[in-house]
Amino acid sequence: MKPLMISLNSGTQIPSEGFGTFLISNDGPCYEAVLNALKCGYRHIDTAAGYGNETDVAKAIKDSGLKREDVFITSKLWVQDNSYEGAKYGIEQSLKNLDTDYIDLYLIHQPYGDLKDAWKAMEEAVDAGKLKAIGISNQTPKIFESFIKDCRILPGVNQVECNPTFQQKELRKIMEPYGIVVEAWYPLGHGNKELLSNPLLQEIAKKHNKSTVQVILRWLYQEGIVSLPKSLNPEHMATNLDIQNFELSQEDMDAIRTLDTGKGTHDPEDPAVEKRLTAIKIHE
């Protein structure tokens, strides 16, 4: 089954569901998880220099027997390298770790440091064919409006926390004129039991003979949002992908929109968050 696709403003087609590898350790666990995900039908793998597992992702893709061009790889520049020279170094390291000539989508992982010059280096890597598309992550409306002024190449995505209880409505509204797609981390609220047992979602799921998880992932797709669910269970991986054979009605979509609280678990503008993340070094 071919994955559902979403178009980016660069013309790049991105699979609407990616397999997230955050907090899956390298040297075995990530390799096994990614290999299982590819066997289940995932064709979009989301990793990052800061996750420390790019080499496992590369090995799993190679051992899957799939062609490189059939797997969409996203990786990210760690905050330590948010500068012009740092970004050039980070891009080369990710290319080396991922054992590839190009990365399909490369993001500025955290919105701190010299974003302007890091973006310039990423734009040059697009010109050189090393990156097919570039984007940002964890940018709030305030950060985004400042950042976007200096972009020669527009970001294709902004990867942020997003799910039915935190729908990023303001951010999506200001990014819409630029054609920038939201990618959702924690699309299931990090396995939030309160969300997954929500009576409204359960009612909609029952109507479609699906699970609440599948309803959430289908809702995100119909909203034009790329989702990055994570599971180490192959059965759950397959279930998460099984959203192609039903469609939510306008009534369903509108009902789920009422669940928005406007509040997430992560605030990139919090000085304590910036201090904690910028203190993390992934290389000398």
Side-chain angles (χ1 to χ4, degrees):
M1 185 182 296
K2 290 185 177 180
L4 296 168
M5 307 296 283
I6 289 177
S7 295
L8 301 184
N9 52 19
S10 62
T12 298
Q13 293 282 304
I14 183 172
S16 68
E17 267 191 61
F19 181 73
T21 62
F22 179 52
L23 296 180
I24 308 180
S25 58
N26 206 48
D27 295 327
C30 186
Y31 168 79
E32 184 178 351
V34 172
L35 191 60
N36 283 333
L38 293 169
K39 288 177 180 176
C40 286
Y42 282 88
R43 293 297 179 265
H44 174 187
I45 306 298
D46 181 273
T47 183
Y51 298 171
N53 56 21
E54 289 175 317
T55 55
D56 261 21
V57 169
K59 188 173 186 297
I61 292 172
K62 183 178 180 180
D63 290 353
S64 72
L66 293 167
K67 295 178 180 178
R68 169 65 187 90
E69 59 267 27
D70 292 335
V71 182
F72 190 101
I73 301 175
T74 296
S75 195
K76 311 177 192 75
L77 181 73
W78 184 238
V79 62
Q80 179 183 0
D81 295 321
N82 281 354
S83 65
Y84 181 72
E85 292 299 331
K88 290 202 295 185
Y89 171 82
I91 292 164
E92 291 303 323
Q93 286 300 114
S94 284
L95 287 166
K96 180 181 176 182
N97 289 338
L98 290 165
D99 192 21
T100 183
D101 295 329
Y102 69 94
I103 299 171
D104 296 278
L105 177 63
Y106 197 71
L107 313 180
I108 293 181
H109 200 160
Q110 302 294 345
Y112 316 118
D114 186 354
L115 303 184
K116 180 179 178 179
D117 280 354
W119 191 254
K120 181 180 178 183
M122 288 167 59
E123 290 174 327
E124 290 176 0
V126 172
D127 295 338
K130 295 177 180 180
L131 307 177
K132 297 298 184 183
I134 50 179
I136 51 183
S137 183
N138 296 306
Q139 289 203 9
T140 63
K142 179 181 177 182
I143 296 170
F144 172 81
E145 289 191 313
S146 174
F147 171 82
I148 198 67
K149 298 172 185 176
D150 297 314
C151 296
R152 173 171 61 88
I153 297 176
L154 289 174
V157 308
N158 186 3
Q159 187 180 119
V160 294
E161 181 180 9
C162 185
N163 57 66
T165 60
F166 186 37
Q167 297 179 20
Q168 296 280 9
K169 289 180 179 178
E170 181 187 358
L171 180 66
R172 289 160 63 193
K173 184 177 180 180
I174 66 171
M175 295 196 311
E176 187 177 6
Y178 302 98
I180 299 169
V181 169
V182 165
E183 275 194 309
W185 59 258
Y186 281 6
L188 306 174
H190 197 42
N192 185 322
K193 291 181 180 178
E194 189 175 332
L195 173 62
L196 299 183
S197 62
N198 179 276
L200 172 64
L201 293 175
Q202 289 185 327
E203 180 184 341
I204 293 172
K206 184 177 180 181
K207 180 170 69 173
H208 293 283
N209 196 28
K210 291 290 182 178
S211 68
T212 54
V213 166
Q214 290 168 319
V215 166
I216 291 169
L217 294 174
R218 180 71 199 192
W219 178 81
L220 288 165
Y221 167 68
Q222 289 184 216
E223 288 282 84
I225 296 171
V226 175
S227 60
L228 301 169
K230 184 182 82 173
S231 174
L232 300 182
N233 183 320
E235 186 177 336
H236 291 168
M237 291 178 187
T239 299
N240 289 347
L241 276 180
D242 185 21
I243 64 167
Q244 297 194 22
N245 58 357
F246 77 109
E247 185 171 349
L248 298 174
S249 67
Q250 190 61 53
E251 182 182 10
D252 294 333
M253 296 293 290
D254 290 341
I256 295 172
R257 290 184 186 118
T258 68
L259 299 178
D260 186 34
T261 65
K263 296 179 182 178
T265 63
H266 176 67
D267 180 8
E269 294 181 24
D270 183 343
V273 172
E274 179 176 357
K275 183 178 180 181
R276 175 174 59 83
L277 292 175
T278 54
I280 299 172
K281 309 299 181 186
I282 62 172
H283 60 77
E284 294 297 327

